[in-house]
Amino acid sequence: MSCCRAMRRRVLTELQRCVVLLASLVPATAVRAEVPAFPGAMGFGATATGGRGGPIVKVANLNARGPGSLQAAIDQAGPRIVVFEVSGVISAPELRIDHGDLTIAGQTAPGAGITLNGRLVANYGAGVSNLVIRHLRVRAPAYDGSVAGNQYDAVQFSTVSRVMLDHVTVSHGVDETVDFWRARDVTIQNSSIESSQTRGHPEGVHNYALIAGPDSTRISVLRNLFAHHRARTPALATGPAETVNNLIYNVRDAWVHHNQANGPFIIEGNSYVQGGDAEMKPALLDAGRANPSIRYFYSDNRFDRGNGFEPIDDPVSLNAFVCAYFRDGDCRDYFVSERPAFTITHPARVLPASEARELVLDEAGAWPRDPFSEQVIAEVRTRTGRWGSPVTALLGDLVPGTAPRDTDGDGLPDDWERREGLDPQTFTDVAELRADGYSLAEHYVNEQAMRLREIDSARPRSRPNRRCCCKNR
């Protein structure tokens, strides 16, 4: 680095420290609320700070538990940001989160990313709060009866609050694939919720995708792919809740309540594509005894039965809606033409449905995509595939890489520290906040997420026709 560049770096660093000092005069909660979990975080869960303000904790092996494992990193208390020195498959029946204030940065795993061949569970009675989880693949193993079938969710976050799931890939739950039963202030975005298991549930073939029950609230479901489910894509019982810019394929009953419901719901810019396993109904509105607060705002939703996409925002004209179990009037009485004004610090940027479905096919899920995700994407594009397809390869052509050198052991690679004007020989305070409100550790993991997409785009593989599963736009 030249003397001039070094001088500029020192000046900028001092300015940043001054800004952070000034920011410290403002109440910390106000500052934290203004900074999203990461650039691009949206919705009700975008104010989650995860491990901000805590150290970097390294995952050094793929063991189910013990020193250096992901479980050991998660078991620590206090804010922490988990990064990976390894990539590949972690085989564990259950990865359990007992403490919040946690960031799991799967985007830092070198090469092949991280697959959990197991279930991801947050302690039901611990009130786990403030989670940021990115670029993690969760593949629940074939059901073996060790857990009750009606509790066998791939991601079971039943009572969490302030949670951001971004670019996660989840599949093969038995009850639900993703469970937010009593969750609050949650976003799941840019994610791929793929095929469930069709055996093991006491009610028979369950094959459901995502549920948030009557005691949940403030749930954002944004820019996700749902594929090969019988129902609950998603199931949301309590508003305010929003379902925006998702792509739903090969489902029978797509958007549902499946519980007593209340509150306002935004369903906007979604695309529904008929598959081969069942006749799809994009909406099964089954609120039971209708609470006066129920409001349905539908806008720019599209349904492709096989002859191209048609608008379905009018619940009468195209027979895309089923009003069931309403004991007070008709569900059509609760449709509104004015978009409800939700209080969201970082609202979603709503895209036209045609633009969103291509974005979802290109972007959704953990990067790099594994063979099953590639298969599912190809099935959506070609309108093939069936419910209950098993995962046959967890890594396929994904090759684990080597972690970059980190001489001082602070969790920041030497090359990255040099680019930032830091000394790779000296342990760095990774919890230090920069002028934008993110810690130094967050700057590193956020940058890795942006780089990961570039790397995945360049990975050679055969791709089917990139036009989305339709004849007409």
Side-chain angles (χ1 to χ4, degrees):
M1 181 183 295
S2 70
C3 293
C4 291
R5 289 179 63 194
M7 179 65 73
R8 284 198 299 270
R9 177 74 70 179
R10 284 196 293 271
V11 170
L12 286 173
T13 300
E14 290 304 316
L15 286 173
Q16 289 168 344
R17 287 174 178 165
C18 289
V19 171
V20 172
L21 179 61
L22 289 172
S24 69
L25 300 177
V26 181
T29 53
V31 175
R32 288 161 66 94
E34 291 301 317
V35 179
F38 49 83
M42 302 181 295
F44 288 118
T47 56
T49 57
R52 182 177 302 156
I56 288 176
V57 180
K58 294 183 180 181
V59 175
N61 58 57
L62 299 173
N63 298 341
R65 56 185 61 252
S69 68
L70 176 56
Q71 184 66 71
I74 289 174
D75 284 344
Q76 296 187 27
R80 68 270 190 219
I81 294 178
V82 177
V83 304
F84 295 84
E85 292 186 318
V86 292
S87 64
V89 178
I90 298 173
S91 293
E94 178 182 288
L95 191 70
R96 183 182 177 91
I97 302 174
D98 289 324
H99 309 291
D101 299 329
L102 168 68
T103 294
I104 300 178
Q107 65 267 28
T108 60
I114 293 293
T115 295
L116 172 61
N117 184 211
R119 302 167 58 242
L120 182 62
V121 176
N123 188 327
Y124 191 92
V128 175
S129 180
N130 199 24
L131 304 175
V132 176
I133 301 175
R134 304 184 73 189
H135 291 286
L136 185 68
R137 301 184 294 260
V138 182
R139 302 289 190 200
Y143 182 67
D144 63 2
S146 59
V147 176
N150 61 4
Q151 293 297 315
Y152 198 88
D153 306 312
V155 171
Q156 190 175 68
F157 280 7
S158 299
T159 59
V160 298
S161 62
R162 278 216 306 159
V163 172
M164 166 59 67
L165 299 181
D166 173 70
H167 285 288
V168 298
T169 295
V170 191
S171 70
H172 293 88
V174 170
D175 189 31
E176 261 73 43
T177 299
V178 179
D179 177 349
F180 297 134
W181 178 248
R182 292 172 57 190
R184 305 174 65 86
D185 294 293
V186 172
T187 294
I188 181 168
Q189 64 175 41
N190 303 315
S191 294
S192 189
I193 300 94
E194 300 165 355
S195 184
S196 297
Q197 298 187 49
T198 54
R199 298 178 181 178
H201 199 280
E203 296 176 5
V205 177
H206 213 237
N207 191 26
Y208 290 164
L210 184 155
I211 192 168
D215 293 324
S216 67
T217 188
R218 294 170 60 86
I219 309 293
S220 294
V221 183
L222 312 173
R223 302 185 185 183
N224 304 294
L225 172 65
F226 292 90
H228 302 312
H229 295 283
R230 183 165 172 250
R232 298 181 181 171
T233 57
L236 303 176
T238 307
E242 56 181 357
T243 306
V244 176
N245 285 153
N246 301 278
L247 174 58
I248 298 94
Y249 170 66
N250 195 24
V251 172
R252 190 187 73 178
D253 305 323
W255 200 98
V256 301
H257 293 302
H258 277 191
N259 284 282
Q260 195 85 12
N262 65 82
F265 301 93
I266 291 174
I267 305 96
E268 186 171 11
N270 302 287
S271 294
Y272 302 85
V273 182
Q274 177 83 38
D277 281 303
E279 180 181 354
M280 179 190 280
K281 289 297 182 183
L284 171 60
L285 305 179
D286 55 342
R289 187 166 297 283
N291 187 294
S293 67
I294 290 179
R295 296 290 183 271
Y296 300 118
F297 174 78
Y298 271 83
S299 177
D300 188 34
N301 297 281
R302 299 290 186 265
F303 182 21
D304 183 359
R305 295 179 172 89
N307 297 309
F309 284 97
E310 302 173 280
I312 56 166
D313 297 322
D314 181 345
V316 177
S317 63
L318 285 174
N319 193 32
F321 296 77
V322 175
C323 293
Y325 313 117
F326 260 73
R327 288 177 285 172
D328 299 299
D330 190 296
C331 70
R332 294 172 177 84
D333 299 334
Y334 297 90
F335 276 71
V336 295
S337 58
E338 184 175 345
R339 195 177 198 273
F342 290 175
T343 302
I344 303 180
T345 306
H346 305 286
R349 184 170 71 89
V350 182
L351 303 174
S354 58
E355 181 180 342
R357 59 180 171 260
E358 285 296 336
L359 179 70
V360 167
L361 287 174
D362 283 344
E363 302 286 333
W367 302 329
R369 284 172 168 167
D370 66 12
F372 191 76
S373 282
E374 294 280 12
Q375 172 188 319
V376 169
I377 295 296
E379 289 168 350
V380 177
R381 292 191 181 279
T382 58
R383 298 181 72 130
T384 56
R386 311 292 296 184
W387 292 351
S389 297
V391 174
T392 56
L394 289 171
L395 286 186
D397 64 350
L398 298 179
V399 180
T402 302
R405 180 182 294 277
D406 177 17
T407 301
D408 54 19
D410 57 9
L412 303 176
D414 292 357
D415 288 345
W416 192 86
E417 290 201 64
R418 291 189 188 97
R419 288 199 304 271
E420 292 296 305
L422 304 171
D423 183 357
Q425 306 289 328
T426 303
F427 199 89
T428 303
D429 180 10
V430 299
E432 177 188 354
L433 290 182
R434 294 294 182 91
D436 57 5
Y438 292 109
S439 70
L440 192 60
E442 288 177 291
H443 271 269
Y444 168 61
V445 299
N446 292 343
E447 182 181 308
Q448 293 308 110
M450 290 185 286
R451 289 186 66 251
L452 189 57
R453 186 66 184 98
E454 299 171 5
I455 295 170
D456 187 58
S457 296
R459 183 164 65 91
R461 54 183 179 259
S462 60
R463 289 183 181 271
N465 189 323
R466 297 181 67 79
R467 192 176 182 209
C468 172
C469 51
C470 58
K471 297 180 181 179
N472 302 316
R473 296 267 179 170

